[in-house]
Amino acid sequence: MQFKNPEIFYALLLLLIPILVHLFQLRRFVKVPFTNVAFLKEIQLKTRKSSTLKKWLVLTLRCLALAALVTAFAQPFLAEKQADDKEDEYLFYLDNSYSMTARSDNANLLADAVQRLYDNPPLGGNFRWFTNTEDYFSESEADFRNSLLEVSPTYKQYTYKELLLKAAGSFSSQDTNKQLVLLSDFQSRAFANADTTANIDVLAVQLRPRSAANVSIDSAYIQTTSAGNAVLKVQLSAAGRSNANYPVSLFKADALSAKSAVSFSESLKAEVEFPITLEESYLGRLSINDQELEFDNELYFSLGEQTAIKVMSINQAERNYLDKLFPAPEFELVHNSHTAADYNAILQQNVVVLNELERIPAGLSTALLRFKENGGVIIIVPAANADTTEYQRLLSQLDAGSLSEAVSQERKLNTINFDHPLFNGVFNQQVTNFQYPTVNTFFDLSSSGNDPLTLEGQNPFLVQFENVYVFASPLSSPHSNFKESPLIVPSFYNMAKKALPIPVLYYELGKPQEIALAVSLSEDQIVQLNGSQQQFIPLQQRFANKLVLQSEEHPTEPGHYFALNQTDTLAVLSYNNPRAEADLRLFEAADLKGINFYDDLSELLNELQQAGEQRPLWQWFVLLCSIFLLLEMAILRFFK
């Protein structure tokens, strides 16, 4: 027999009360010799003996009744397991990712699982459970039910490996039978064929939707623009082929702007186009009608007035190629001669290009250092006869490595770092038969370890140190033919774009984002993002000519968010749910090793309840207390 509240036994000290009362009620009898009533002495002795016995019986019954009552409050029970068995320790995971909103026979998988857990809590004591967004590690049964009602779907999802790591850190260090219970649809992208970790038993129920059919809006982008007009391309996908037509609607703000339809009879991919007019502000929303997963039925996007990236070039060589690389209206290019450059205007720019300067004056070095500290991008193209001492001083001030004397030797640029951010999305695949450019004069640069472009012999051609980009060779002929190479366009374009990232149509929730706004604010001015359901202040970093907003954890809801400086709207940012949860391909139970699968959630809950079942005994002790009190009353009434 075990007790849920053994500390109640301290109340047994109350047994001293009836014992003390009994002792104080004892009286000392005095013998009085009286010959004429000697026959009464025998009756007196008999009465004294019976009275003493009655009092001891009453005392015993009262003590037993009080002890039984205290034991009842201690809640005794008999456990199913023997005393020497290990105690079971359970940790529950309820998958609340968006894929769990797929339709089941009753409502959806998540709502059905929540209802069953609400009606049949898996354990009789404290609960330890978690979802993809919240941890609940010490809850009563009532708190467990209340927390269940607050579970909502999310774009986040743990992988199988992350679940095992979280369980290992959540279980106690005691020697118990540790059991991790998984309630999930076991989406293919999140679970892998891996064995469970030691000392953790994994129990699971795979919740399957009634249908794997789903239609999703995957992405949208602007393909062409001309004379203020643009073509919005929308890409959609389906889980299976269907002859049905799915209407696709385009809303401008809350008004229907255009409508089309797609079919997936021949392919699982489809595309639809909408002509739109570029205006100062375009709050768009795409929508489809699909009854399976609903989180991917809408896509928010916004178009705002495009801010030109300000570029200043300081030239001592041919500059026409820069006009082609930085065209208006996307860029605002200003040329300066090396003999008449306005250093004071540098802080008002986003990008500064040193175009083959032979010398670097001290005033220019100082201005460039301040420019870098304010988030500006510096592109350095050295001259063939550059003063290496002055260049070395500049690079040292900018923490941008070093360079040695020029080398006159022909080398091919034969290595492209496809993983570098400069070339992210530039190539559909890694090119092997590319016509690489050639250099005839180059400087030996110190490497940053992640060089975008490299020459033969592993000599860097272009290196990056934070916001500073340094070329190893002059770009003018005859020192290099890099100007004729298609690589020059994405290289310069993406270097300049880093200074002031061009606003995109929309951002994905949960991904780290850096959003640059071409505004100058004082220290006491704070930008706030306001949406229809959320308001928050993002991390923000001020520079002389821009403000950079950083977001990752917030927002958590899709929609349009207005970047406000008090009442002034600086920009409109659109956020959408990631589309990975739209893929309803599931792992089969046989493909996941180390997991004990159950066919039904009710079956698992019943087994867990039986394993943790306890037979309470407090009712018997209440009955004993009543019996003792009834015996006491009977003795007081009938025993003379």
Side-chain angles (χ1 to χ4, degrees):
M1 185 169 60
Q2 303 177 46
F3 301 91
K4 289 185 178 180
N5 304 312
E7 64 276 3
I8 297 296
F9 282 114
Y10 285 111
L12 290 177
L13 295 174
L14 296 174
L15 293 176
L16 294 174
I17 297 176
I19 294 175
L20 292 175
V21 171
H22 173 75
L23 293 177
F24 281 118
Q25 285 182 347
L26 292 178
R27 296 178 181 178
R28 182 175 298 174
F29 293 91
V30 179
K31 295 181 180 181
V32 180
F34 198 86
T35 56
N36 292 335
V37 289
F39 67 94
L40 296 176
K41 292 183 179 180
E42 183 179 354
I43 298 176
Q44 182 183 15
L45 291 173
K46 290 181 179 180
T47 302
R48 288 177 56 196
K49 290 180 180 179
S50 61
S51 177
T52 303
L53 177 61
K54 178 180 179 181
K55 289 179 179 180
W56 280 109
L57 287 174
V58 170
L59 175 63
T60 302
L61 290 173
R62 285 177 178 174
C63 291
L64 289 174
L66 184 58
L69 185 61
V70 171
T71 305
F73 276 102
Q75 297 191 40
F77 65 92
L78 292 177
E80 291 294 324
K81 290 181 174 289
Q82 300 298 324
D84 56 350
D85 287 348
K86 292 182 181 179
E87 182 181 353
D88 288 331
E89 186 177 0
Y90 294 98
L91 180 64
F92 289 85
Y93 164 67
L94 175 60
D95 184 1
N96 63 330
S97 61
Y98 274 124
S99 64
M100 288 283 289
T101 60
R103 299 288 177 177
S104 63
D105 294 333
N106 300 322
N108 62 56
L109 298 179
L110 180 60
D112 189 32
V114 167
Q115 186 62 49
R116 294 198 188 190
L117 289 170
Y118 187 92
D119 295 337
N120 301 286
L123 296 176
N126 289 339
F127 294 89
R128 296 168 59 85
W129 66 291
F130 65 99
T131 64
N132 292 302
T133 52
E134 299 291 341
D135 296 337
Y136 307 91
F137 282 168
S138 180
E139 288 199 322
S140 65
E141 188 171 309
D143 292 336
F144 173 68
R145 286 193 168 101
N146 292 333
S147 299
L148 275 176
L149 299 178
E150 298 176 357
V151 173
S152 58
T154 177
Y155 59 86
K156 299 180 180 179
Q157 187 183 51
Y158 284 118
T159 64
Y160 184 48
K161 182 178 181 180
E162 290 170 341
L163 286 174
L164 296 178
L165 291 174
K166 187 174 183 65
S170 301
F171 281 118
S172 68
S173 58
Q174 301 176 359
D175 186 17
T176 57
N177 293 324
K178 298 174 172 57
Q179 302 193 55
L180 174 63
V181 182
L182 306 179
L183 307 179
S184 172
D185 57 357
F186 289 85
Q187 208 175 0
S188 294
R189 76 178 190 90
F191 290 86
N193 187 11
D195 295 333
T196 181
T197 57
N199 301 324
I200 296 180
D201 295 329
V202 182
L203 313 177
V205 175
Q206 186 172 24
L207 307 174
R208 290 182 171 273
R210 68 184 181 186
S211 172
N214 179 50
V215 177
S216 169
I217 301 178
D218 291 340
S219 62
Y221 61 95
I222 301 294
Q223 185 185 40
T224 58
T225 60
S226 60
N229 297 321
V231 175
L232 177 69
K233 281 206 168 188
V234 185
Q235 294 181 334
L236 303 96
S237 64
R241 294 187 180 182
S242 172
N243 292 324
N245 289 323
Y246 293 89
V248 183
S249 303
L250 171 64
F251 292 87
K252 182 181 179 183
D254 294 326
L256 181 63
S257 177
K259 201 165 187 177
S260 184
V262 294
S263 174
F264 300 94
S265 58
E266 298 181 357
S267 174
L268 299 181
K269 300 288 184 180
E271 193 172 74
V272 63
E273 297 181 359
F274 291 107
I276 61 175
T277 301
L278 296 180
E279 300 176 354
E280 292 185 0
S281 179
Y282 193 109
L283 300 184
R285 177 170 61 90
L286 294 162
S287 176
I288 59 172
N289 293 327
D290 176 44
Q291 301 302 317
E292 297 303 327
L293 289 181
E294 298 182 356
F295 84 97
D296 55 4
N297 290 355
E298 291 186 328
L299 189 141
Y300 297 89
F301 69 94
S302 57
L303 290 169
E305 185 178 3
Q306 185 171 333
T307 302
I309 299 177
K310 296 180 180 181
V311 182
M312 172 189 282
S313 67
I314 303 177
N315 307 295
Q316 198 173 352
E318 189 271 328
R319 68 184 194 183
N320 292 336
Y321 74 100
L322 294 175
D323 294 319
K324 299 177 182 178
L325 295 174
F326 302 124
E330 194 171 352
F331 298 93
E332 184 179 314
L333 176 62
V334 177
H335 292 292
N336 281 257
S337 170
H338 69 289
T339 57
D342 184 4
Y343 298 160
N344 294 325
I346 288 180
L347 284 180
Q348 307 305 318
Q349 308 301 314
N350 302 119
V351 182
V352 172
V353 180
L354 303 186
N355 185 17
E356 300 190 27
L357 302 185
E358 296 178 2
R359 301 190 60 189
I360 308 294
L364 178 58
S365 297
T366 302
L368 290 175
L369 178 60
R370 291 182 57 198
F371 179 67
K372 179 200 173 186
E373 292 172 348
N374 279 277
V377 171
I378 302 173
I379 303 174
I380 301 175
V381 182
N385 56 345
D387 187 330
T388 56
T389 301
E390 294 186 357
Y391 268 85
Q392 184 60 44
R393 181 187 61 206
L394 172 63
L395 296 180
S396 177
Q397 291 178 342
L398 299 178
D399 291 328
S402 62
L403 81 168
S404 62
E405 295 293 333
V407 177
S408 297
Q409 186 180 13
E410 181 178 325
R411 293 281 183 91
K412 280 191 175 297
L413 193 164
N414 64 346
T415 303
I416 303 173
N417 186 352
F418 295 99
D419 296 327
H420 195 277
L422 279 184
F423 304 113
N424 185 23
V426 174
F427 300 92
N428 293 327
Q429 58 184 359
Q430 294 191 9
V431 182
T432 57
N433 59 347
F434 192 79
Q435 187 174 356
Y436 294 106
T438 303
V439 300
N440 298 314
T441 303
F442 65 92
F443 295 87
D444 191 7
L445 298 177
S446 59
S447 173
S448 64
N450 187 31
D451 304 324
L453 299 172
T454 306
L455 299 172
E456 290 177 320
Q458 301 303 311
N459 294 95
F461 177 75
L462 174 62
V463 295
Q464 176 189 2
F465 293 89
E466 296 181 351
N467 287 357
V468 180
Y469 296 86
V470 185
F471 283 89
S473 168
L475 302 186
S476 59
S477 179
H479 308 291
S480 168
N481 65 350
F482 186 71
K483 291 180 182 179
E484 286 73 40
S485 171
L487 280 176
I488 192 173
V489 177
S491 298
F492 273 83
Y493 179 86
N494 289 328
M495 283 189 286
K497 184 179 177 182
K498 182 178 174 61
L500 188 66
I502 298 173
V504 297
L505 289 181
Y506 57 88
Y507 302 93
E508 281 194 359
L509 297 175
K511 290 187 176 181
Q513 307 287 354
E514 283 197 358
I515 304 164
L517 305 180
V519 295
S520 297
L521 301 180
S522 61
E523 290 294 332
D524 59 341
Q525 292 179 308
I526 301 296
V527 173
Q528 178 174 304
L529 290 184
N530 285 10
S532 59
Q533 302 182 47
Q534 284 183 308
Q535 298 179 1
F536 67 98
I537 298 177
L539 293 175
Q540 40 204 279
Q541 189 174 9
R542 294 176 182 83
F543 299 99
N545 55 1
K546 66 180 178 180
L547 175 71
V548 177
L549 306 179
Q550 298 178 354
S551 66
E552 181 174 2
E553 294 298 327
H554 291 90
T556 59
E557 297 294 333
H560 298 300
Y561 290 83
F562 296 84
L564 300 179
N565 174 26
Q566 296 181 351
T567 58
D568 297 333
T569 301
L570 305 179
V572 180
L573 309 177
S574 301
Y575 287 86
N576 290 292
N577 288 309
R579 272 13 192 189
E581 287 292 310
D583 186 357
L584 291 181
R585 288 178 295 178
L586 308 180
F587 261 114
E588 297 298 328
D591 296 331
L592 290 169
K593 303 183 186 304
I595 300 180
N596 185 16
F597 277 93
Y598 288 78
D599 295 331
D600 185 73
L601 178 57
S602 299
E603 177 188 355
L604 173 60
L605 294 178
N606 290 335
E607 182 173 314
L608 295 180
Q609 286 176 340
Q610 292 175 3
E613 188 174 331
Q614 302 167 351
R615 288 192 292 171
L617 301 177
W618 63 269
Q619 301 95 327
W620 294 100
F621 284 91
V622 172
L623 179 61
L624 282 176
C625 178
S626 302
I627 292 175
F628 292 143
L629 292 176
L630 289 174
L631 289 175
E632 177 190 348
M633 289 187 292
I635 290 175
L636 291 174
R637 182 177 181 85
F638 300 108
F639 191 76
K640 302 299 183 179

